[in-house]
Amino acid sequence: MPGPASKRRIPVSQPGMADPHQLFDDTSAAQSRGYGAQRAPGDLGYPAASATPQAAFLADPVSNMAMAYGSSLAAQGKELVDKNIDRFIPVTKLKYYFAVDTMYVGRKLGLLFFPYLHQDWEVQYQQDTPVAPRFDVNAPDLYIPAMAFITYVLVAGLALGTQDRFSPDLLGLQASSALAWLTLEVLAILLSLYLVTVNTDLTTIDLVAFLGYKYVGMIGGVLMGLLFGKIGYYLVLGWCCVSIFVFMIRTLRLKILAEAAAEGVPVREARNQLRMYLTMAVAAAQPLLMYWLTFHLVR
């Protein structure tokens, strides 16, 4: 039979109480709990980073130096582009040619269709600088030529669609042909001005503007052709051709013949006659191109 010693109970340690038979207190759990509590704000177990820039730079100096160097290079590149962009794209000059308003557009369109009623063709200047187009109907602009070209392409697509001949390739060919002829015109005039040795303030952008005004008459001719057939096309296009011829003569003569008039060169002088022929040739080319680029759109 078991003795009284076998009935002796072993004391059970309560939670939070130390084991009576343990020589040293176990503090590892408390330390781990305390360490974990300290690491909690850092998400993945790392201490939370300091919010000061100095501490962030000291924590990862290489990446911060790389970011600073990249920002410096980007700023220098932007400054370089801003300084040299005018060499390739005259942004400042282009802003002048788009400085228009509704009143200017209406008056300019009236001038293109009825140039016979206009008397004063001189461009106004303010301190040796031409005023913005919205203040002078005689000033060239790029807004009307650009909008007229886009509208011409759309009207051409409409005309081809009514004839069941529409295709993206054919419409692209129509637009590229118009641009190609415009480019050839500009290059031919610049070469002619160089050969005739004309010192004029007529710039390349001015030429693009003046030559682009013919798209307005082309739109009118094609629309009348769609509404009234061949008769309407030829009547309206004929009127627009004569109007653009008169408009170009009266406008370009002030640009090309201005030097000769200032120098008092006689009209029958050989070089002056070459300038007059050049002006007539540029003006006469506009009706021909207007017909060439539109006759196949009306049937």
Side-chain angles (χ1 to χ4, degrees):
M1 257 180 103
S6 61
K7 294 181 180 179
R8 188 175 52 188
R9 294 181 179 179
I10 299 175
V12 180
S13 60
Q14 298 297 326
M17 299 178 59
D19 191 351
H21 300 284
Q22 187 175 351
L23 297 178
F24 303 99
D25 292 337
D26 186 6
T27 60
S28 61
Q31 291 177 355
S32 63
R33 286 195 301 270
Y35 183 71
Q38 294 174 359
R39 292 188 302 175
D43 279 343
L44 297 178
Y46 295 96
S50 175
T52 61
Q54 294 82 1
F57 180 80
L58 293 176
D60 195 357
V62 177
S63 60
N64 283 277
M65 290 181 63
M67 291 177 60
Y69 183 69
S71 300
S72 177
L73 285 180
Q76 293 178 2
K78 182 178 182 300
E79 183 179 359
L80 183 63
V81 170
D82 292 340
K83 288 182 178 180
N84 297 298
I85 192 172
D86 281 342
R87 296 182 180 180
F88 307 98
I89 303 176
V91 178
T92 305
K93 294 182 179 180
L94 288 178
K95 290 180 180 179
Y96 164 82
Y97 289 93
F98 284 94
V100 301
D101 55 12
T102 305
M103 183 176 296
Y104 168 83
V105 173
R107 294 173 59 194
K108 194 72 171 189
L109 292 177
L111 180 61
L112 292 174
F113 284 107
F114 304 98
Y116 326 100
L117 306 177
H118 194 60
Q119 300 297 328
D120 184 14
W121 294 85
E122 291 284 348
V123 177
Q124 300 178 13
Y125 284 81
Q126 183 177 8
Q127 297 179 355
D128 298 333
T129 303
V131 298
R134 63 174 175 267
F135 301 120
D136 184 13
V137 70
N138 296 323
D141 72 283
L142 286 178
Y143 176 80
I144 293 178
M147 294 298 104
F149 176 80
I150 296 174
T151 307
Y152 160 71
V153 175
L154 296 177
V155 171
L158 176 63
L160 294 174
T162 57
Q163 302 167 15
D164 295 331
R165 295 189 297 137
F166 177 81
S167 67
D169 295 337
L170 190 58
L171 187 62
L173 179 62
Q174 190 74 24
S176 59
S177 299
L179 283 178
W181 280 110
L182 180 63
T183 304
L184 288 177
E185 281 186 279
V186 173
L187 294 178
I189 295 174
L190 291 176
L191 179 61
S192 301
L193 292 175
Y194 173 77
L195 295 177
V196 181
T197 63
V198 176
N199 294 325
T200 176
D201 59 350
L202 191 65
T203 64
T204 304
I205 304 179
D206 290 338
L207 288 176
V208 174
F210 288 132
L211 298 176
Y213 288 135
K214 64 175 171 286
Y215 296 118
V216 176
M218 293 163 57
I219 295 170
V222 175
L223 288 177
M224 291 300 104
L226 293 177
L227 295 175
F228 304 105
K230 284 284 188 179
I231 297 178
Y233 166 75
Y234 282 114
L235 287 177
V236 175
L237 187 68
W239 176 272
C240 294
C241 287
V242 176
S243 298
I244 196 67
F245 179 81
V246 175
F247 173 83
M248 295 296 287
I249 287 289
R250 295 185 177 181
T251 301
L252 292 181
R253 71 175 182 177
L254 297 177
K255 298 288 186 179
I256 298 178
L257 301 176
E259 180 192 10
E263 296 176 353
V265 179
V267 177
R268 298 184 179 275
E269 200 267 343
R271 183 176 297 180
N272 197 17
Q273 288 185 350
L274 289 177
R275 295 170 180 172
M276 293 179 61
Y277 294 152
L278 176 60
T279 304
M280 295 285 292
V282 174
Q286 305 311 300
L288 297 178
L289 289 173
M290 291 172 66
Y291 175 76
W292 177 257
L293 293 173
T294 57
F295 79 95
H296 60 282
L297 298 175
V298 179
R299 291 186 176 180

